[in-house]
Amino acid sequence: MWIGLAIVLAYGIVPLAGSDYLFDAVLTPFLALALAAVGLNVLTGYAGQVSLGSAAFLAVGAYAAYNLHLRAPALPLLLDVVLAGGIAAATGIVFGLPSLRLRGFYLAVSTLAAQFMIQWALTKFGWFSNDNPSGVIDAPVISIAGVSFASPAERYVFTLSIVIILALLTLRLLRSQTGRNFVAVRDHEVAAKVIGVPLLRTKLLAFGFSSSLIGIAGVLWAFAYLRTVEPAGFNLDRSFQILFIIIIGGLGSLRGSFIGAAFIVVFPLLLSRIGAALLGNLFDSGVLEMSQRIAIGVLIIAFLIAEPRGLVALCDRAWSAARRAKRPALPT
């Protein structure tokens, strides 16, 4: 019942009742970031492989889809999206090779190579941006089978559909033997090898599948949300933002990815409104950005100390408490 109500709300009520600001500033970026967080959560939360290069794979997906649409116009847009995810997956596998030798902090540092190398390549070689000197690309209008998704509400519906499909595919993967292999490698790599888990294939599959999801999230970020992107928009800050989402939302939880993304998107808006109400003109964009960084840093430390499972654990406890409160008292 709850799933049916959510589908009716997301597809039937929100597109009709929501404003352009709601779609452009809240819902579409939330969905794109949530999909990127799902991808990173598969790699870090489930497979235990740390990565700090998520923004690089966002960029790979966005620029790959742009070039596929530009240089192979006969291909349908949905196929461009799928192929962009495949290119991001191949890139992720290449940069995931160090995971066969490195772990933890050393692996995290090695993934920074993807972040810096890909951002440098997109800026250095004009071919990726159709010879635009600044590396900026303008996304085409989303059109599938002659149906255009041009308005903010239509782009939201397109993004929502992609995210739901990929989230369900991810859930099915995690419930399969492959997903159990991910968890075994995360919990104890040596024990996983002893019981027959193929470490090489499992780690590279985690990097590939994670990068494909993040790459498709990059397509949504560029085509459905910003519409115009540049390499500088996929910097290290974006990688940390996605990492903060899964830490705050909850590692090893798909629900946590969505909850964390909702928090990261809505929190700056609330902070801006509250700061403007309390401080007026003194609360400018610079103060907002610094306040946001400080607040998120404090929250991450608090969650790591008090509740490592993140917001999803707090939501589960609140739901359990509410259900207990509704139960009738037992007769004495």
Side-chain angles (χ1 to χ4, degrees), residues 33-45 48-55 58 104-105 108-109 111-112 115 210 214 235-253 256-257 260-261 263-264 296 299-300 303-304 308 310:
L33 286 176
L35 181 59
V38 168
L40 184 59
N41 224 337
V42 169
L43 181 66
T44 302
Q49 308 302 302
V50 184
S51 174
L52 297 179
S54 301
L58 283 174
F105 172 77
V109 172
T111 58
L112 288 175
Q115 178 65 53
S210 168
I214 298 174
N235 55 15
L236 191 59
D237 286 346
R238 187 71 62 201
S239 293
F240 279 119
Q241 182 186 42
I242 300 172
L243 181 62
F244 294 160
I245 287 174
I246 65 173
I247 291 175
I248 293 175
L251 287 169
S253 169
S257 300
F263 178 85
I264 289 294
I296 291 179
L299 286 172
I300 289 174
F303 276 117
L304 290 176

Side-chain angles (χ1 to χ4, degrees), residues 16 39 57 63 65 69 109 112 118 171-172 181 191 202 226 231 238 246 252 271 298:
L16 297 176
F57 304 117
Y63 278 81
H69 180 81
V109 172
L112 288 175
I118 290 174
L171 182 62
R172 182 170 182 177
N181 289 346
T202 299
L226 291 180
R238 187 71 62 201
I246 65 173
L271 186 62
V298 171

Side-chain angles (χ1 to χ4, degrees), residues 170-192:
T170 303
L171 182 62
R172 182 170 182 177
L173 175 73
L174 294 175
R175 290 179 174 177
S176 68
Q177 183 60 48
T178 300
R180 291 190 286 272
N181 289 346
F182 287 165
V183 175
V185 172
R186 178 198 67 189
D187 291 344
H188 203 295
E189 191 170 310
V190 175

Side-chain angles (χ1 to χ4, degrees), residues 249 255 259 310-321:
R255 288 186 298 124
I259 294 173
L311 286 172
V312 67
L314 298 180
C315 293
D316 288 342
R317 282 208 294 269
W319 176 251
S320 298

Side-chain angles (χ1 to χ4, degrees), residues 251-273:
L251 287 169
S253 169
L254 295 188
R255 288 186 298 124
S257 300
F258 286 90
I259 294 173
F263 178 85
I264 289 294
V265 171
V266 174
F267 177 72
L269 301 177
L270 294 177
L271 186 62
S272 176
R273 298 290 178 87

Side-chain angles (χ1 to χ4, degrees), residues 26-185:
V26 180
L27 294 180
T28 303
F30 152 69
L31 290 169
L33 286 176
L35 181 59
V38 168
L40 184 59
N41 224 337
V42 169
L43 181 66
T44 302
Y46 285 92
Q49 308 302 302
V50 184
S51 174
L52 297 179
S54 301
F57 304 117
L58 283 174
V60 169
Y63 278 81
Y66 169 78
N67 279 281
L68 286 168
H69 180 81
L70 178 68
R71 305 180 195 285
L75 294 178
L77 182 63
L78 280 180
L79 184 57
D80 292 338
V81 174
V82 173
L83 291 176
I87 294 172
T91 307
I93 290 173
V94 171
F95 285 100
L97 290 173
S99 67
L100 307 179
R101 295 283 184 177
L102 302 176
R103 301 178 190 174
F105 172 77
Y106 300 100
L107 177 59
V109 172
S110 72
T111 58
L112 288 175
Q115 178 65 53
F116 296 129
M117 289 178 63
I118 290 174
Q119 191 175 359
W120 170 82
L122 294 177
T123 305
K124 180 69 175 178
F125 302 104
W127 183 87
F128 293 110
S129 57
N130 198 25
D131 295 320
N132 189 321
S134 61
V136 176
I137 61 173
D138 294 321
V141 175
I142 300 173
S143 179
I144 300 174
V147 179
S148 177
F149 295 82
S151 69
E154 291 167 344
R155 295 198 304 272
Y156 153 76
V157 171
F158 172 79
T159 305
L160 176 66
S161 302
I162 297 292
V163 171
I164 289 177
I165 292 171
L166 292 178
L168 292 176
L169 289 175
T170 303
L171 182 62
R172 182 170 182 177
L173 175 73
L174 294 175
R175 290 179 174 177
S176 68
Q177 183 60 48
T178 300
R180 291 190 286 272
N181 289 346
F182 287 165
V183 175
V185 172

